Amino acid sequence: ETPKKKQVMMFSATMTPETRTLCKKFMQDPHEIRVDEYYVKLTEKEKNRKLNDMLDALEFNQVVIFVKSVQRAIALDKLLVECNFPSIAIHSGLPQEDRIARYKQFKEF
């Protein structure tokens, strides 16, 4: 049994109308936050240059970038730091306590 007073959060990159209705059934006074997404189809060679160009051109406070592998996360983190962008890599290769510490660091930035 869960406590009567609790916070419930639902995160999804995509949500069907049916799922949205179901979620609202279990939440009181729900808030929905939508995030702008950008999609550009590129070859592997073009990705780093385009990302750097986009980060230079866009106004943002914080950005989350999802990549396919731990190795790509580490390499991208290194590249972003070299290009003078503050960066934190969070991936499955880290112990859970390190991931949590990095999430907190990101949140407090």
Side-chain angles (χ1 to χ4, degrees):
E1 191 172 311
T2 63
K4 296 282 184 224
K5 188 171 182 165
K6 62 185 171 255
Q7 183 177 28
V8 177
M9 291 189 252
M10 171 74 183
F11 298 94
S12 177
T14 59
M15 192 178 298
T16 64
E18 296 82 17
T19 304
R20 183 175 279 110
T21 301
L22 181 64
C23 290
K24 288 181 179 181
K25 180 179 175 182
F26 293 98
M27 296 180 182
Q28 296 175 349
D29 190 28
H31 297 275
E32 191 168 330
I33 300 170
R34 295 181 183 255
V35 178
D36 290 334
E37 295 181 47
Y38 295 90
Y39 175 81
V40 180
K41 189 166 180 126
L42 302 167
T43 66
E44 206 53 43
K45 289 181 177 181
E46 298 171 305
K47 287 182 180 180
N48 289 341
R49 177 84 247 146
K50 185 55 146 178
L51 177 60
N52 199 2
D53 292 345
M54 287 176 63
L55 293 175
D56 277 337
L58 297 172
E59 282 192 39
F60 59 88
N61 291 327
Q62 291 177 299
V63 176
V64 177
I65 302 169
F66 293 94
V67 296
K68 192 173 184 175
S69 68
V70 171
Q71 295 80 10
R72 179 73 174 129
I74 293 167
L76 183 56
D77 178 56
K78 182 180 177 197
L79 176 72
L80 290 171
V81 170
E82 287 171 0
C83 293
N84 295 315
F85 291 108
S87 177
I88 301 169
I90 302 170
H91 52 75
S92 64
L94 296 169
Q96 184 65 21
E97 54 273 4
D98 290 352
R99 281 186 260 169
I100 291 169
R102 290 181 185 201
Y103 280 121
K104 288 180 181 176
Q105 185 183 0
F106 178 79
K107 183 179 173 184
E108 294 167 0
F109 182 78

